[in-house]
Amino acid sequence: MSLLIGHNQSALNIQRQLFSSTTRLDQSFERLSSGFRINSAADDAAGLQIADRLQSDVISTRQVVRNLNDGIGYAQIAEGALDEVSTASQRMRQLAVQAQNGIHSDSDRQALDKEFQQLKKEIDRIANETEAFGRHPLLSPTALLFGNNSPDNVTLGSGQQIVNNLPFSGSGNDFYFIPANSENIRFTFDSYGLDDDIHLFSTSGEHLAGVEVPAAGDPLADFNWQDLGLDLSNIDSAFLTTSNGFSSGASYDASNINAASAVGTSLTYSGDGDLNNDGLINSGETVIEVITLTGTTNQDIILAVSGQSSGSAYQGQISWDRLGGVASAAIQEAEFAAENPEKDVKITTSAAINAPQDYHEIAKTPATAADLGLTGLSLSTQQQAEVALNALSEAIDDIGEKRAGYGAVQNAMQSNLRNLSIRVENTRAAQSQIMDTDYASETATLAKNQIIQQASHSLLSQANQRPEIALSLLNG
């Protein structure tokens, strides 16, 4: 055996081994205390990348599960409301069958009609009050902005048009409803050369903008009102009626016409059409009428089109902006529906990385009396009861189809929920295989490294004694 004084090679080797075992021991402590096999990219670079991707998939999928539960809730609320609409429609049909029976007198049918009309109002109330997550599944986009008096062929969206190119029916008037808290609304109106006008009214009858209704017999009466046979003597009973959207007892008041008035916002009106009162818009007269509301309205407003009693046609445009702040909830939803005309709600069904997005799409199911074709129905006569019976049969079929659609989408989302739950479970298991500590294996490794460390300490002590042996030989 040789004894080298300059270098204690054995001690150096043991020190290296001791450092290595200590490092492994520290790693075991970290893995056992954290529960993760990979605590930094240095532990397993490729494994960390794969595990992070799996973790992102798990997190996103769990959010998709919550989204689907929200979507199921939305569909359940809408379908539950449609169930009540169906119940009301079934009762209305029962009343129509009863009224159709020839044994009843007209007074009997009048009694039946009272309940019939009340049920019709209840259908509208359900449709208007059904709300889920800030949305109104039983209202069409036009009903959101114009209420029950919305036209059939209105398209909404900032800068888009309201168009009606057909002759007016009856009195020649159309009425549209604008809810309170609407912002920065502009109406532009073209009567195609005829003396048709637009007006803004409060529901109580205050004339906010437009051409003032003249006194009875006034020779300067606007041709528009004159042709309709309307003046101050009959405007309340023939124009400001509940069927046109006005409050009961509404009375004409033009004291603040074309001024800021009680709208709660600034109002401007330009163009009063037929300046020489001949029923036509001629050269030099104003063809286009514009009403602008700047700011936020504080009350419900009715936009009225007063047109000539026959042959009238018009084109109007509505627009709004967000310059004054966030638009009202009705306008926001109407605007969204206009931008997404076919589908109202899109529920995320997949959020996998590097995969295309997928959705369950839930269409609006308008279910007001107008949407179901129930407006104008009556049980006053046997013939009217027969018409009502046929209309209600179609309405009940329509409601059933809409409810079936909600049922189908609920089942689809429930199936997707089950599939995603299994996916999360399996993905989490795969991630665990990569990331999590194997405690049985790691505990054995810890014990091994602890023995090696203790042995290294002992051997290092012995190796450090070897120079002392060399000195004892010199002393001997």
Side-chain angles (χ1 to χ4, degrees), residues 100-113:
Q100 191 184 20
N101 190 359
I103 198 172
H104 291 296
S105 65
D106 287 343
S107 61
D108 294 332
R109 293 189 180 90
Q110 289 292 339
L112 294 172
D113 190 56

Side-chain angles (χ1 to χ4, degrees), residues 236-282:
D236 292 355
S237 60
F239 192 86
L240 306 179
T241 63
T242 54
S243 61
N244 290 338
F246 293 92
S247 303
S248 178
S251 179
Y252 184 77
D253 175 10
S255 58
N256 289 310
I257 191 170
N258 302 327
S261 185
V263 182
T265 182
S266 61
L267 181 153
T268 59
Y269 170 78
S270 62
D272 58 359
D274 180 22
L275 302 179
N276 62 4
N277 199 31
D278 63 359
L280 298 174
I281 306 298
N282 299 306

Side-chain angles (χ1 to χ4, degrees), residues 166-187:
L166 300 175
F168 295 132
S169 59
S171 65
N173 300 316
D174 283 352
F175 300 88
Y176 310 119
F177 177 79
I178 304 125
N181 299 318
S182 298
E183 292 195 351
N184 300 335
I185 300 179
R186 296 180 297 276
F187 297 101

Side-chain angles (χ1 to χ4, degrees), residues 339-408:
E339 295 169 354
N340 303 271
E342 295 182 358
K343 305 295 181 183
D344 177 62
V345 176
K346 297 174 72 175
I347 308 297
T348 308
T349 61
S350 174
I353 294 178
N354 299 326
Q357 296 297 301
D358 194 14
Y359 305 93
H360 283 302
E361 295 181 322
I362 305 177
K364 272 185 172 295
T365 53
T368 63
D371 294 316
L372 297 174
L374 304 181
T375 54
L377 298 182
S378 172
L379 304 183
S380 299
T381 66
Q382 189 173 2
Q383 292 74 21
Q384 288 176 323
E386 184 175 348
V387 172
L389 183 62
N390 293 330
L392 282 161
S393 296
E394 294 180 4
I396 290 169
D397 286 342
D398 186 19
I399 295 168
E401 183 179 350
K402 290 171 178 175
R403 292 185 66 189
Y406 281 117

Side-chain angles (χ1 to χ4, degrees), residues 130-374:
T130 299
E131 182 179 344
F133 301 95
R135 298 190 176 281
H136 299 78
L138 305 191
L139 292 180
S140 65
T142 54
L144 285 165
L145 193 61
F146 295 109
N148 295 330
N149 297 312
S150 60
D152 294 333
N153 56 347
V154 168
T155 57
L156 294 180
S158 184
Q160 296 186 14
Q161 291 182 336
I162 305 170
V163 179
N164 183 343
N165 288 324
L166 300 175
F168 295 132
S169 59
S171 65
N173 300 316
D174 283 352
F175 300 88
Y176 310 119
F177 177 79
I178 304 125
N181 299 318
S182 298
E183 292 195 351
N184 300 335
I185 300 179
R186 296 180 297 276
F187 297 101
T188 304
F189 182 81
D190 184 351
S191 61
Y192 296 143
L194 296 175
D195 186 23
D196 304 329
D197 296 306
I198 53 173
H199 310 266
L200 287 188
F201 283 89
S202 71
T203 55
S204 63
E206 183 179 7
H207 198 170
L208 305 173
V211 180
E212 188 171 355
V213 175
D218 186 343
L220 298 178
D222 180 77
F223 181 89
N224 180 318
W225 295 112
Q226 204 173 50
D227 185 65
L228 294 172
L230 294 174
D231 55 37
L232 291 181
S233 66
N234 62 6
I235 186 72
D236 292 355
S237 60
F239 192 86
L240 306 179
T241 63
T242 54
S243 61
N244 290 338
F246 293 92
S247 303
S248 178
S251 179
Y252 184 77
D253 175 10
S255 58
N256 289 310
I257 191 170
N258 302 327
S261 185
V263 182
T265 182
S266 61
L267 181 153
T268 59
Y269 170 78
S270 62
D272 58 359
D274 180 22
L275 302 179
N276 62 4
N277 199 31
D278 63 359
L280 298 174
I281 306 298
N282 299 306
S283 176
E285 296 179 332
T286 305
V287 176
I288 304 297
E289 294 179 58
V290 179
I291 296 178
T292 303
L293 297 172
T294 304
T296 305
T297 60
N298 63 4
Q299 61 178 303
D300 296 337
I301 297 173
I302 292 176
L303 170 68
V305 179
S306 61
Q308 296 178 39
S309 58
S310 63
S312 293
Y314 71 84
Q315 176 170 299
Q317 177 175 293
I318 179 176
S319 63
W320 57 81
D321 56 44
R322 307 296 178 85
L323 296 179
V326 178
S328 69
I331 284 186
Q332 288 187 68
E333 188 171 354
E335 187 176 30
F336 177 85
E339 295 169 354
N340 303 271
E342 295 182 358
K343 305 295 181 183
D344 177 62
V345 176
K346 297 174 72 175
I347 308 297
T348 308
T349 61
S350 174
I353 294 178
N354 299 326
Q357 296 297 301
D358 194 14
Y359 305 93
H360 283 302
E361 295 181 322
I362 305 177
K364 272 185 172 295
T365 53
T368 63
D371 294 316
L372 297 174
L374 304 181

Side-chain angles (χ1 to χ4, degrees), residues 18-30:
L18 179 60
F19 176 79
S20 179
S21 65
T22 301
T23 301
R24 291 194 300 272
L25 193 62
D26 289 342
Q27 188 177 57
S28 292
F29 282 138
E30 184 179 27

